[in-house]
Coordinates of all heavy atoms in Angstrom, one line a residue:
R66 N -7.0 38.0 -10.2 CA -6.7 39.4 -9.8 C -5.3 39.8 -10.3 O -5.1 41.0 -10.5 CB -6.8 39.5 -8.3 CG -8.2 39.4 -7.7 CD -8.2 39.2 -6.2 NE -9.6 39.3 -5.7 CZ -9.9 38.9 -4.5 NH1 -9.0 38.3 -3.7 NH2 -11.1 39.1 -4.0
T67 N -4.3 38.9 -10.3 CA -2.9 39.3 -10.5 C -2.3 38.8 -11.8 O -1.3 39.2 -12.2 CB -2.1 38.8 -9.3 OG1 -2.1 37.3 -9.4 CG2 -2.6 39.3 -8.0
H68 N -3.0 37.8 -12.4 CA -2.5 37.1 -13.6 C -1.2 36.4 -13.3 O -0.4 36.1 -14.1 CB -2.2 38.1 -14.8 CG -3.5 38.5 -15.4 ND1 -3.5 39.3 -16.6 CD2 -4.8 38.3 -15.1 CE1 -4.7 39.5 -16.9 NE2 -5.6 39.0 -16.1
Q69 N -1.0 36.0 -12.0 CA 0.1 35.2 -11.6 C -0.4 34.0 -10.8 O -1.4 34.1 -10.1 CB 1.1 36.0 -10.7 CG 1.9 37.1 -11.4 CD 3.0 37.7 -10.5 OE1 2.7 37.8 -9.3 NE2 4.1 38.0 -11.1
L70 N 0.3 32.9 -10.9 CA 0.0 31.8 -10.1 C 1.1 31.6 -9.0 O 2.2 31.2 -9.2 CB 0.0 30.5 -11.0 CG -0.3 29.2 -10.2 CD1 -1.7 29.3 -9.6 CD2 -0.2 28.0 -11.2
L71 N 0.7 32.1 -7.8 CA 1.5 32.0 -6.6 C 1.0 31.0 -5.6 O -0.1 31.1 -5.1 CB 1.6 33.4 -5.9 CG 2.3 34.5 -6.7 CD1 2.1 35.8 -6.1 CD2 3.8 34.2 -6.9
L72 N 1.8 30.0 -5.4 CA 1.4 28.9 -4.5 C 2.3 28.7 -3.4 O 3.5 29.0 -3.5 CB 1.3 27.6 -5.3 CG 0.3 27.6 -6.5 CD1 0.4 26.3 -7.3 CD2 -1.2 27.7 -6.0
P73 N 1.9 28.2 -2.2 CA 2.8 27.9 -1.1 C 3.9 26.9 -1.5 O 3.7 26.1 -2.4 CB 1.8 27.3 0.0 CG 0.5 27.8 -0.4 CD 0.5 27.9 -1.9
T74 N 5.0 27.0 -0.9 CA 6.1 26.2 -1.2 C 5.8 24.7 -1.0 O 6.4 23.8 -1.6 CB 7.4 26.6 -0.4 OG1 7.1 26.6 1.0 CG2 7.8 28.0 -0.9
D75 N 4.9 24.4 0.0 CA 4.6 23.0 0.3 C 3.3 22.6 -0.4 O 2.7 21.6 -0.1 CB 4.4 22.8 1.8 CG 3.4 23.7 2.4 OD1 2.9 24.7 1.7 OD2 3.0 23.5 3.6
F76 N 2.8 23.3 -1.4 CA 1.6 23.0 -2.1 C 1.8 21.7 -2.9 O 2.8 21.6 -3.6 CB 1.2 24.2 -3.0 CG -0.2 23.9 -3.7 CD1 -1.3 24.2 -3.0 CD2 -0.2 23.5 -5.0 CE1 -2.6 24.0 -3.6 CE2 -1.4 23.3 -5.6 CZ -2.6 23.6 -4.9
S77 N 0.8 20.8 -2.8 CA 1.0 19.5 -3.6 C -0.3 19.1 -4.3 O -0.2 18.1 -5.0 CB 1.3 18.4 -2.6 OG 0.3 18.3 -1.6
D78 N -1.3 19.9 -4.3 CA -2.6 19.6 -4.9 C -2.7 20.1 -6.4 O -3.7 20.7 -6.7 CB -3.8 20.1 -4.1 CG -4.0 19.3 -2.8 OD1 -3.5 18.1 -2.8 OD2 -4.7 19.8 -1.9
Y79 N -1.6 19.9 -7.1 CA -1.6 20.5 -8.5 C -2.7 19.8 -9.4 O -3.4 20.5 -10.1 CB -0.3 20.3 -9.2 CG 0.8 21.1 -8.6 CD1 1.7 20.6 -7.6 CD2 1.0 22.4 -8.9 CE1 2.7 21.4 -7.1 CE2 2.0 23.2 -8.4 CZ 2.8 22.7 -7.5 OH 3.8 23.5 -6.9
L80 N -2.9 18.5 -9.2 CA -3.9 17.9 -10.1 C -5.3 18.3 -9.7 O -6.1 18.5 -10.6 CB -3.7 16.4 -9.9 CG -2.4 15.8 -10.5 CD1 -2.4 14.3 -10.3 CD2 -2.3 16.1 -12.0
R81 N -5.6 18.5 -8.4 CA -6.9 19.0 -8.0 C -7.1 20.4 -8.4 O -8.2 20.7 -8.9 CB -7.0 18.8 -6.5 CG -7.1 17.4 -6.0 CD -7.3 17.3 -4.5 NE -8.5 17.9 -4.1 CZ -8.7 18.7 -3.1 NH1 -7.7 19.1 -2.3 NH2 -9.9 19.2 -2.8
L82 N -6.1 21.2 -8.4 CA -6.2 22.6 -8.8 C -6.4 22.6 -10.4 O -7.2 23.4 -10.9 CB -5.0 23.4 -8.5 CG -5.0 24.9 -8.8 CD1 -6.2 25.6 -8.2 CD2 -3.7 25.6 -8.4
Q83 N -5.8 21.7 -11.1 CA -6.0 21.6 -12.5 C -7.4 21.2 -12.8 O -8.0 21.7 -13.7 CB -5.0 20.6 -13.1 CG -5.0 20.6 -14.6 CD -4.1 19.5 -15.1 OE1 -4.1 18.4 -14.6 NE2 -3.4 19.8 -16.2
R84 N -7.9 20.3 -12.0 CA -9.3 19.9 -12.2 C -10.3 21.0 -12.0 O -11.3 21.2 -12.8 CB -9.7 18.7 -11.2 CG -11.1 18.1 -11.4 CD -11.3 17.0 -10.4 NE -11.2 17.6 -9.0 CZ -11.2 16.8 -7.9 NH1 -11.3 15.5 -8.1 NH2 -11.2 17.3 -6.7
E85 N -10.0 21.9 -11.0 CA -10.9 23.0 -10.8 C -10.8 24.0 -12.0 O -11.8 24.6 -12.4 CB -10.5 23.7 -9.5 CG -10.7 22.9 -8.2 CD -12.2 22.4 -8.1 OE1 -13.1 23.3 -7.9 OE2 -12.4 21.2 -8.2
A86 N -9.6 24.2 -12.5 CA -9.4 25.1 -13.6 C -10.1 24.6 -14.8 O -10.7 25.4 -15.6 CB -7.9 25.3 -13.9
L87 N -10.2 23.3 -15.0 CA -10.9 22.7 -16.1 C -12.4 22.9 -15.9 O -13.2 23.2 -16.9 CB -10.6 21.2 -16.2 CG -9.2 20.8 -16.8 CD1 -8.9 19.4 -16.6 CD2 -9.1 21.2 -18.3
F88 N -12.9 22.8 -14.7 CA -14.3 23.0 -14.4 C -14.7 24.4 -14.7 O -15.8 24.6 -15.3 CB -14.6 22.7 -12.9 CG -16.0 23.0 -12.5 CD1 -17.0 22.1 -12.7 CD2 -16.3 24.2 -11.8 CE1 -18.3 22.4 -12.3 CE2 -17.6 24.5 -11.4 CZ -18.6 23.6 -11.7
Y89 N -13.9 25.4 -14.4 CA -14.3 26.8 -14.6 C -13.9 27.2 -16.1 O -14.1 28.4 -16.4 CB -13.6 27.7 -13.6 CG -14.0 27.5 -12.2 CD1 -13.2 27.0 -11.2 CD2 -15.3 27.9 -11.8 CE1 -13.6 26.8 -9.9 CE2 -15.8 27.7 -10.5 CZ -14.9 27.2 -9.6 OH -15.3 27.0 -8.3
E90 N -13.2 26.3 -16.8 CA -12.9 26.6 -18.2 C -12.0 27.8 -18.3 O -12.1 28.6 -19.2 CB -14.1 26.7 -19.1 CG -15.0 25.5 -19.1 CD -16.3 25.7 -19.9 OE1 -16.4 26.6 -20.6 OE2 -17.2 24.8 -19.8
L91 N -11.0 27.8 -17.5 CA -10.0 28.9 -17.5 C -8.7 28.4 -18.2 O -7.8 27.9 -17.6 CB -9.6 29.3 -16.0 CG -10.7 30.2 -15.3 CD1 -10.3 30.3 -13.8 CD2 -10.8 31.5 -15.9
D92 N -8.7 28.6 -19.5 CA -7.7 28.1 -20.3 C -6.3 28.6 -20.0 O -5.3 27.9 -20.0 CB -7.9 28.3 -21.8 CG -9.1 27.5 -22.3 OD1 -9.4 26.5 -21.7 OD2 -9.7 27.8 -23.4
P93 N -6.1 29.9 -19.7 CA -4.8 30.4 -19.3 C -4.3 29.7 -18.1 O -3.1 29.4 -18.0 CB -5.0 31.9 -19.1 CG -6.2 32.2 -19.9 CD -7.1 31.0 -19.8
L94 N -5.1 29.5 -17.1 CA -4.6 28.8 -15.9 C -4.3 27.3 -16.2 O -3.4 26.8 -15.6 CB -5.7 28.9 -14.8 CG -5.3 28.3 -13.4 CD1 -4.0 28.8 -12.9 CD2 -6.5 28.5 -12.4
I95 N -5.1 26.7 -17.0 CA -4.8 25.3 -17.4 C -3.5 25.2 -18.1 O -2.7 24.3 -17.8 CB -5.9 24.8 -18.3 CG1 -7.3 24.7 -17.6 CG2 -5.6 23.4 -18.9 CD1 -8.5 24.5 -18.5
D96 N -3.2 26.2 -18.9 CA -1.9 26.2 -19.6 C -0.7 26.3 -18.6 O 0.3 25.6 -18.8 CB -1.8 27.4 -20.6 CG -2.7 27.2 -21.8 OD1 -3.1 26.1 -22.0 OD2 -3.0 28.2 -22.4

Side-chain angles (χ1 to χ4, degrees):
R66 288 168 172 164
T67 65
H68 286 187
Q69 286 189 327
L70 181 60
L71 292 170
L72 300 171
T74 56
D75 58 348
F76 185 83
S77 59
D78 287 338
Y79 290 99
L80 294 179
R81 292 182 63 224
L82 183 57
Q83 185 185 44
R84 183 181 62 188
E85 296 302 293
L87 288 168
F88 174 81
Y89 294 113
E90 300 177 13
L91 286 170
D92 292 340
L94 180 56
I95 295 170
D96 291 341

